[in-house]
Amino acid sequence: MSAASRFGRRRWSWSAPKTFALWTRLAAVVAALLFVVSVGLTLWGNPLLPTSAPLPAAGYPFLVPTFIGWIWTLLKPDR
């Protein structure tokens, strides 16, 4: 195993703490990827219009569960 792959695996574990439920982290990753694609397309010269479909609107259905998961984690009584 190369040093780069070990570093990448360690870095992922730092950036995705186990504090949040797995479904929350997965929803956040999907939302982030969809928004990154939207930004990339915009930077490549595609116009961002209110009628642009399916991006960037596709990221919001994943962003909302992420917020719900964060709030749920912070309000848990055993915290």
Side-chain angles (χ1 to χ4, degrees):
M1 184 180 298
S2 71
S5 65
R6 281 194 305 260
F7 174 76
R9 192 170 345 129
R10 248 185 281 137
R11 181 68 186 142
W12 170 253
S13 65
W14 293 336
S15 64
K18 304 251 188 288
T19 304
F20 300 107
L22 180 62
W23 64 269
T24 303
R25 291 181 280 154
L26 291 176
V29 167
V30 171
L33 290 175
L34 289 169
F35 287 127
V36 165
V37 169
S38 297
V39 169
L41 290 174
T42 304
L43 291 176
W44 243 269
N46 290 348
L48 182 61
L49 303 171
T51 57
S52 297
L55 297 172
Y60 289 104
F62 295 97
L63 186 62
V64 171
T66 301
F67 289 153
I68 291 170
W70 290 343
I71 293 167
W72 176 68
T73 301
L74 294 174
L75 295 179
K76 281 195 303 191
D78 61 335
R79 184 168 157 76

